[in-house]
Amino acid sequence: MADASFDVVSEYDSQEMVNAVDQAQREIGNRYDFKGTDSTIELKDKEKELDLDADSEYKLAAMIDILKSKMVKRQIDLKVLDAQKVEPAAKGRVRQKVKLRAGLSDDLARDVVKRIKGELPKLQSRIEGDKVRVTGKSRDDLQAAIRLLKDADLPVPLQFTNYR
């Protein structure tokens, strides 16, 4: 019997993220408490980050809540967001960068491999760039590995692709 395999990746749908940011920006423009404030959310897709700009930290927190609600409606996991510290900007405004997590870091990939080898010694797992390939003879063992990783509380959302 041929070996079965799957890949463990961490990614988000960039088009859905664009739509969520557009909807959040539209709601911020229409809300009464944001009238005349020039608060913005800007998605920089190449750098994989968001730039938020507001009059106060309170409005910045409200903007993040609006964005999170739009992301949930579009099935984007909130673990994608990695908020940086709030920085003061010109004229008493505040600014915040929110990085978007995509891909498994080296440390996290090693942690995934270690978890799989510790619990399921029949499976082989190896790091391939920003993903982890898991192979084994039994599909049941692969399903057990998927359950193990879903139950682990990791800081990034995981997807399981190329299941063969």
Side-chain angles (χ1 to χ4, degrees):
M1 185 170 141
D3 284 354
S5 68
F6 70 89
D7 294 335
V8 180
V9 297
S10 177
E11 53 194 29
Y12 62 91
D13 187 350
S14 61
Q15 185 58 50
E16 289 295 333
M17 181 60 82
V18 168
N19 294 341
V21 169
D22 287 346
Q23 284 182 341
Q25 186 65 41
R26 202 170 307 124
E27 182 173 329
I28 288 167
N30 290 336
R31 277 188 36 171
Y32 179 75
D33 54 341
F34 283 100
K35 287 285 183 200
T37 61
D38 194 31
S39 299
T40 60
I41 301 175
E42 181 184 350
L43 174 64
K44 294 182 178 176
D45 215 13
K46 296 217 185 307
E47 294 93 27
K48 295 189 191 266
E49 69 181 23
L50 297 167
D51 283 339
L52 286 81
D53 188 30
D55 288 346
S56 65
E57 287 190 37
Y58 170 75
K59 288 190 176 155
L60 199 62
M63 289 170 59
I64 290 175
D65 285 343
I66 293 168
L67 177 64
K68 285 181 178 180
S69 72
K70 300 303 179 192
M71 287 173 62
V72 166
K73 286 181 183 176
R74 298 197 158 271
Q75 283 95 29
I76 301 173
D77 197 322
L78 296 180
K79 289 181 180 179
V80 167
L81 300 177
D82 180 21
Q84 307 298 306
K85 69 177 195 149
V86 176
E87 304 168 350
K91 297 181 183 173
R93 297 176 62 82
V94 291
R95 176 182 317 134
Q96 184 175 20
K97 289 195 183 301
V98 178
K99 295 191 185 220
L100 302 174
R101 293 183 182 122
L104 295 176
S105 66
D106 291 339
D107 293 336
L108 189 59
R110 281 194 291 274
D111 183 41
V112 167
V113 168
K114 189 173 84 172
R115 285 176 191 261
I116 291 172
K117 286 187 179 183
E119 292 286 324
L120 302 159
K122 291 181 181 179
L123 296 178
Q124 294 80 40
S125 52
R126 63 182 181 272
I127 300 170
E128 296 180 352
D130 61 352
K131 66 182 180 181
V132 175
R133 167 78 43 98
V134 180
T135 58
K137 298 221 181 282
S138 167
R139 289 184 181 263
D140 293 337
D141 289 341
L142 292 179
Q143 300 240 337
I146 291 173
R147 272 193 307 279
L148 171 76
L149 294 174
K150 280 185 178 180
D151 292 342
D153 188 29
L154 297 173
V156 296
L158 296 179
Q159 291 86 32
F160 308 99
T161 60
N162 294 336
Y163 186 79
R164 299 179 197 149

